[in-house]
Amino acid sequence: MEKLRVLIGRERIAAKVAEMGQRISQDFAGEPVVLIGVLKGATIFLADLARQITLDVSFDFIAVSSYGTAKQQSGEVKLVKDVDRSMEGRNIILVEDILDTGLTLTYIQSMLRAHQPKSLRIAALLDKVSRRTEPIHGDYVGFEIPDEFVVGYGLDFAERYRNLPDICVLESGPESE
Ligand code: IMP
Ligand code: MG
């Protein structure tokens, strides 16, 4: 049975997300933005972040699949669901739960650049800086975390735990690294 340890509690998450929303609101003052959430992990973060942004906001979602086990990615990313509308001339904020190796967001970023948006920024709630293999960084980053597998607040382990209100470290599991 897995054990959960709270790494970042709900109050700290809420305060940080509010701060991120304020920064985005200031940076894009007077302009509309499109939040593009990466399914499914980013949904809870996107829902909270959007309500902290005082601009004209619209949503879109993309889904990718990456091959590998639940905890380890293989490095191959495949588009499963594209955006619904053209992003040409728009201010895009790509919303992701966590930046790990950076492979996922590097792939999505280059795909979205082909739309010729006005601007393209990345908002990631969590950042495992030490795991990065790609030269990519978040423009709005919530928390830098150590190389531990985390769940909750949208993040899953084999589709479980997304509904936990806190971000927790999954200490041991049936499939440990
Ligand atoms: P990257 O492509 O290696 O940056 O991986 C990003 C994706 O890996 C995220 O969208 C998550 O789905 C998943 N991921 C990476 N680290 C964790 C974690 O600690 N818990 C849950 N999912 C994770
Ligand atoms: Mg994800």
Side-chain angles (χ1 to χ4, degrees):
M1 190 55 196
E2 301 103 331
K3 269 199 226 153
L4 298 167
R5 167 170 55 86
V6 175
L7 181 68
I8 307 167
R10 61 199 78 180
E11 295 85 5
R12 282 181 68 203
I13 299 171
K16 185 64 76 176
V17 173
E19 206 181 291
M20 294 171 86
Q22 281 161 22
R23 279 188 48 212
I24 291 169
S25 304
Q26 286 164 9
D27 291 356
F28 290 93
E31 296 194 41
V33 298
V34 187
L35 302 182
I36 301 185
V38 184
L39 294 173
K40 307 168 195 165
T43 51
I44 292 179
F45 174 43
L46 185 144
D48 284 347
L49 181 65
R51 286 175 285 180
Q52 299 295 334
I53 298 176
T54 54
L55 306 169
D56 177 345
V57 172
S58 49
F59 295 175
D60 213 322
F61 294 93
I62 54 180
V64 293
S65 68
S66 42
Y67 300 101
T69 62
K71 280 191 178 182
Q72 208 70 55
Q73 293 206 210
S74 69
E76 249 182 281
V77 183
K78 190 181 140 197
L79 187 69
V80 172
K81 186 216 169 289
D82 203 348
V83 288
D84 294 335
R85 295 179 304 165
S86 167
M87 291 295 149
E88 191 180 342
R90 296 174 187 271
N91 295 309
I92 297 176
I93 300 175
L94 198 46
V95 180
E96 177 61 309
D97 49 7
I98 186 166
L99 251 170
D100 188 32
T101 63
L103 280 162
T104 306
L105 284 185
T106 299
Y107 171 82
I108 294 169
Q109 202 181 39
S110 65
M111 190 205 92
L112 288 173
R113 279 202 181 116
H115 283 250
Q116 300 187 295
K118 181 175 182 191
S119 63
L120 176 51
R121 293 200 183 170
I122 291 173
L125 182 64
L126 304 175
D127 190 351
K128 276 189 201 170
V129 189
S130 66
R131 293 257 308 160
R132 196 81 83 255
T133 61
E134 307 304 305
I136 188 170
H137 68 274
D139 299 289
Y140 305 98
V141 172
F143 303 94
E144 290 189 2
I145 63 165
D147 183 12
E148 292 185 288
F149 197 83
V150 291
V151 295
Y153 198 73
L155 292 128
D156 74 307
F157 173 67
E159 296 300 328
R160 297 172 60 208
Y161 304 116
R162 292 193 197 274
N163 60 319
L164 296 179
D166 307 302
I167 292 166
C168 301
V169 174
L170 192 63
E171 307 226 277
S172 62
E175 188 214 40
S176 47
E177 289 173 79

